[in-house]
């Protein structure tokens, strides 16, 4: 946006508003990125605890029946739960590894020639830099959230199957 293309001079108040809005949106996006990281870390820790508890449960498990159909049913449940929890961990790790938040490139801003420009033009250029960072990080954030949501679905299903399987095992144990 050049002042020569538009004959009216830049309004400093408008430029201040644009810069302030760009800063605010950038700060909000950066915070969303951090919140996604925090949620993913909590989800990963929770899944690890569930997986640890399930492995402990498996280590102490003694089948109450030696029937082939019972052993098949219990093996399918156990394998399914392990697979679901493991896949959830993989998706949480993918979410974490998806990338770091790209910061503002100060090389575009800290420049002696840039410092000699009109203040209103400088504010617009800085606002454009903030906007570029927001746009560059949006895809990373969306991918992180997709991986997190998928991991959450897998851990939810794994946990539900764990609870159902545990209840069924207790019923079978007391029914025999």
């Amino acid at each position: 946006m050049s002042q020569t293309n538009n004959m009216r001079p830049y309004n400093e108040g408008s430029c201040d508003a644009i810069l302030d809005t760009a800063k605010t949106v950038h700060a909000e996006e950066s915070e969303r990125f951090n919140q996604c990281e925090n949620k993913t870390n909590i989800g990963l820790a929770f899944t690890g605890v569930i997986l640890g508890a399930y492995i402990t449960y498996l280590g102490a498990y003694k089948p109450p029946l030696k029937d082939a159909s019972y052993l098949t049913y219990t093996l399918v449940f156990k394998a399914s739960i392990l697979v679901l929890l493991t896949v959830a961990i993989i998706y949480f790790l993918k979410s974490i590894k998806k990338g770091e938040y790209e910061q503002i490139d100060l090389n575009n801003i800290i420049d002696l020639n840039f410092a000699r420009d009109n203040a209103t033009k400088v504010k617009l250029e800085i606002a454009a830099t903030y906007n570029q960072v927001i746009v560059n990080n949006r895809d990373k954030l969306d991918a992180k959230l997709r991986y997190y949501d998928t991991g959450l679905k897998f851990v939810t299903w794994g946990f539900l199957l764990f609870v159902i399987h545990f209840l069924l095992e207790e019923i079978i144990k007391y029914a025999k």
Side-chain angles (χ1 to χ4, degrees):
M1 211 191 238
S2 166
Q3 248 178 312
T4 57
N5 291 345
N6 188 351
M7 294 302 164
R8 293 183 353 195
Y10 295 126
N11 180 313
E12 185 146 1
S14 296
C15 292
D16 287 339
I18 291 169
L19 180 57
D20 289 344
T21 301
K23 283 184 200 177
T24 301
V25 171
H26 175 266
E28 289 169 355
E29 288 295 305
S30 177
E31 182 60 29
R32 278 185 62 211
F33 204 88
N34 289 335
Q35 286 175 352
C36 178
E37 289 281 320
N38 292 337
K39 286 182 356 181
T40 302
N41 289 335
I42 291 167
L44 184 59
F46 180 71
T47 305
V49 168
I50 292 173
L51 185 59
Y54 191 65
I55 290 172
T56 302
Y57 169 74
L58 289 178
Y61 178 74
K62 303 233 182 329
L65 302 173
K66 301 294 185 205
D67 183 46
S69 61
Y70 167 77
L71 293 174
T72 303
Y73 131 82
T74 196
L75 181 65
V76 168
F77 256 97
K78 288 175 181 7
S80 298
I81 294 166
L82 284 174
V83 167
L84 287 169
L85 293 177
T86 303
V87 170
I89 287 173
I90 290 168
Y91 273 96
F92 286 140
L93 290 174
K94 280 183 176 184
S95 178
I96 290 170
K97 290 181 179 181
K98 189 56 190 162
E100 295 296 318
Y101 192 80
E102 183 180 310
Q103 296 296 323
I104 294 172
D105 185 9
L106 293 178
N107 293 326
N108 294 340
I109 297 171
I110 303 173
D111 182 291
L112 291 177
N113 291 328
F114 196 53
R116 292 183 184 105
D117 283 344
N118 181 312
T120 54
K121 180 183 177 204
V122 169
K123 289 175 185 175
L124 285 178
E125 293 290 332
I126 293 172
T129 303
Y130 275 116
N131 185 53
Q132 186 60 42
V133 170
I134 292 166
V135 168
N136 290 347
N137 286 307
R138 189 161 289 137
D139 288 339
K140 290 179 189 174
L141 181 59
D142 289 343
K144 280 181 168 297
L145 289 171
R146 271 193 315 276
Y147 286 135
Y148 171 78
D149 288 342
T150 304
L152 201 55
K153 288 176 188 171
F154 279 111
V155 77
T156 301
W157 280 106
F159 183 71
L160 287 174
L161 277 179
F162 179 20
V163 169
I164 291 168
H165 179 61
F166 179 79
L167 293 174
L168 288 174
E169 288 295 315
E170 290 301 309
I171 291 169
I172 290 171
K173 192 184 323 180
Y174 290 109
K176 85 171 189 165

